[in-house]
Amino acid sequence: GKWHMGVNCKSRHDHCHHPLNHGFEYFYGMPFTLLNECQGTDDPELAKSLQDTYWLYTQMIILAVLTLLIGKLAALFSVKWKIIICLAICGLLYFISWFSSYGLTKYWNCILMRNHAITEQPMNLEKTTTNMLKEAVSFIERNKHRPFLLFVSLLHVHTPLITTKKFQGRSRYGLYGDNVEEMDWMVGKWLLDAIEKEGLKNVTFIYFASDHGGSLEAHRGNAQLGGWNGIYKGGKGMGGWEGGIRVPGIVRWPGVLPAGTVIHELTSLMDVFPTVVHLAGGEVPQDRVIDGRTLLPLLRGTVQQCGHEFMFHYCGAFLHAVRWHQKDSGTVWKAHYTTPVFQPEASGACFGRGICPCFGDGVTHHDPPLLFDLSKDPSEANPLSADTEPLFDTVTRRIGEAVEEHRKTLTPVPQQLSPSNNIWKPWLQPCCGTFPFCWCDEENNKA
């Protein structure tokens, strides 16, 4: 499915970020993320505000060249041809430099790979999910006689919401609802049916979850395309607010985990790693701090609280909020050190930017932090203060101590989201042909 971690570091073929270099034995899917550009829509998503700026400057250069050209031909003023030609060449180079990064996103970013080979560039979104599910079912069939780990990351419920005709209009909640219903059908009809067909139902631990809350900024006209976060404030890309990080999880393991149980404890997707290691009979590394906790005791009911006393919520590399689950009282506190500046102010989202930033002029820093009692105020509507909460100083001080302890466990690493790493580098571009002619369709050729 959607890997979203990229492929290369220093050359087109080093594949340093590829799943096969990070513990997986087989990969079929999309190495980058899913963008509107992959569908070929007129609504670009990748660095939209930056693209608008680049296009504005391009238009200004074109206007300047035309003005000089008309003035020269009409003898309105004297200007050397050399200046006009130089300005036109500079403008053309400027346009090529940014358009090659963003205007050709569909061909550069929207690709499918099987292991290290590119099978489709650009990919056909209408067939991609079906192809991925066929691969997943085939994987189950091939590995049914031995332990296996299958990680499926679907493209569904992520914009641009590719939905087949069979499911369009099925939901009362628009295209997003249609997409949810189709995903539900696909997971059941393809994956769970395959597990049952191979007789693996009672020996397979299945965990279904989302990676973040709804994307409030994803709109097309008046239609919201990014989901809904209920009572929770904020959404996707916001490091601290509940709407961006609180999502449901569904677990199935018949005969081992009791059916119909509802657990209200907050866990983390970082818990998947130690849980899988536990299930496989292994041990997590002992030479570093592992942030996750195995979910098995909580799911089996042998403990009533998750293993996290503190949870640290980041936006990129920046710590935005900290959650403290008091063991003695059961109260859950949340301290926000940084929050995004919403546009418009009361909207709960960053419509002006398209996605909320993690730092800079798009955030507000809080000292003392914004403190909420999530046990009583899960929607984070009423920040507490020393005047309204007698434990305010005690709680913020204890959370501050936990932050200091947490930071001692961190090892500095290169920033993969730095500006220099975000610009397009032709020498790293995966290509199934002779660069820059990167077009292939192995999937349909096989069919």
Side-chain angles (χ1 to χ4, degrees):
K2 182 163 78 78
W3 175 240
H4 200 155
M5 301 295 286
V7 184
N8 301 316
C9 289
K10 295 180 179 179
S11 73
R12 188 170 296 151
H13 303 292
D14 66 30
H15 290 184
C16 68
H17 297 306
H18 194 283
L20 269 59
N21 280 340
H22 291 275
F24 289 93
E25 296 173 351
Y26 182 81
F27 171 67
Y28 179 79
M30 185 181 190
F32 306 122
T33 190
L34 183 63
L35 298 162
N36 286 343
E37 285 88 339
C38 296
Q39 192 184 25
T41 65
D42 295 327
D43 185 23
E45 184 177 4
L46 184 64
K48 187 177 185 302
S49 60
L50 199 58
Q51 286 192 63
D52 291 340
T53 303
Y54 288 154
W55 180 236
L56 176 63
Y57 291 159
T58 303
Q59 289 174 312
M60 291 169 64
I61 294 172
I62 292 172
L63 184 61
V65 171
L66 289 176
T67 301
L68 292 175
L69 185 61
I70 293 170
K72 176 73 172 179
L73 295 175
L76 296 175
F77 44 77
S78 177
V79 60
K80 293 181 180 180
W81 281 110
K82 188 183 293 186
I83 295 175
I84 298 175
I85 293 171
C86 285
L87 184 59
I89 291 173
C90 290
L92 181 62
L93 292 174
Y94 173 76
F95 172 74
I96 291 173
S97 68
W98 73 262
F99 190 80
S100 59
S101 297
Y102 300 111
L104 298 174
T105 299
K106 182 174 182 177
Y107 298 95
W108 298 151
N109 281 34
C110 306
I111 64 177
L112 275 179
M113 298 183 76
R114 179 181 284 104
N115 292 325
H116 289 293
I118 298 172
T119 63
E120 201 171 87
Q121 186 174 12
M123 63 186 191
N124 183 344
L125 275 183
E126 294 180 358
K127 299 179 180 179
T128 299
T129 299
T130 301
N131 288 338
M132 288 178 180
L133 290 168
K134 286 179 180 177
E135 290 281 341
V137 171
S138 175
F139 178 86
I140 293 170
E141 292 170 349
R142 294 196 308 271
N143 292 277
K144 61 185 177 183
H145 296 302
R146 68 187 187 102
F148 64 80
L149 168 68
L150 172 62
F151 170 46
V152 181
S153 182
L154 296 171
L155 302 184
H156 273 56
V157 305
H158 189 295
T159 53
L161 298 178
I162 303 302
T163 310
T164 60
K165 290 182 180 179
K166 179 180 177 181
F167 280 88
Q168 289 177 9
R170 286 273 295 268
S171 165
R172 292 179 294 168
Y173 302 102
L175 187 59
Y176 185 87
D178 297 343
N179 212 247
V180 171
E181 290 204 11
E182 183 168 37
M183 178 183 65
D184 177 61
W185 176 82
M186 286 175 163
V187 170
K189 194 67 178 175
W190 288 80
L191 301 177
L192 298 189
D193 279 7
I195 293 289
E196 295 197 25
K197 177 186 173 185
E198 302 301 338
L200 303 174
K201 179 178 177 180
N202 292 333
V203 293
T204 304
F205 176 86
I206 297 172
Y207 184 26
F208 177 87
S210 176
D211 54 344
H212 53 68
S215 176
L216 302 179
E217 292 88 356
H219 275 75
R220 186 176 299 156
N222 293 324
Q224 186 163 335
L225 302 179
W228 182 63
N229 297 318
I231 67 169
Y232 304 113
K233 183 181 291 185
K236 174 185 177 180
M238 302 182 203
W241 294 119
E242 291 291 277
I245 55 181
R246 189 190 283 244
V247 294
I250 304 172
V251 177
R252 188 179 84 156
W253 193 1
V256 179
L257 303 179
T261 304
V262 178
I263 297 174
H264 292 287
E265 289 290 293
L266 196 85
T267 60
S268 165
L269 287 182
M270 290 187 292
D271 297 334
V272 173
F273 171 63
T275 302
V276 167
V277 171
H278 185 162
L279 287 168
E283 290 188 8
V284 297
Q286 301 297 309
D287 61 342
R288 73 204 71 178
V289 173
I290 300 296
D291 294 303
R293 304 285 186 270
T294 176
L295 295 170
L296 269 299
L298 186 65
L299 295 173
R300 283 176 165 150
T302 56
V303 300
Q304 299 305 310
Q305 287 189 347
C306 75
H308 298 279
E309 182 178 6
F310 293 93
M311 295 182 81
F312 304 90
H313 303 301
Y314 280 80
C315 184
F318 301 91
L319 181 66
H320 274 209
V322 180
R323 177 189 313 265
W324 179 24
H325 189 167
Q326 276 189 287
K327 299 293 183 182
D328 50 353
S329 68
T331 303
V332 180
W333 306 96
K334 176 92 140 321
H336 288 262
Y337 293 98
T338 306
T339 55
V341 177
F342 294 140
Q343 300 169 325
E345 188 175 342
S347 64
C350 300
F351 293 108
R353 293 176 180 259
I355 188 170
C356 288
C358 299
F359 62 96
D361 61 357
V363 300
T364 301
H365 299 283
H366 304 280
D367 186 15
L370 289 179
L371 183 67
F372 297 92
D373 180 354
L374 296 184
S375 316
K376 300 175 182 176
D377 182 23
S379 61
E380 299 172 288
N382 304 301
L384 303 172
S385 67
D387 296 328
T388 59
E389 174 53 63
L391 295 175
F392 182 88
D393 291 332
T394 302
V395 171
T396 53
R397 183 171 59 252
R398 179 65 190 96
I399 291 176
E401 292 169 356
V403 170
E404 292 305 312
E405 295 167 11
H406 164 69
R407 283 185 168 143
K408 292 176 184 177
T409 71
L410 302 179
T411 303
V413 296
Q415 289 299 322
Q416 292 194 22
L417 295 177
S418 65
S420 62
N421 282 329
N422 259 336
I423 61 173
W424 180 65
K425 300 180 177 70
W427 58 91
L428 298 182
Q429 177 62 53
C431 181
C432 62
T434 302
F435 184 82
F437 305 105
C438 305
W439 292 277
C440 61
D441 192 355
E442 183 186 310
E443 301 300 326
N444 285 336
N445 290 342
K446 280 188 174 182

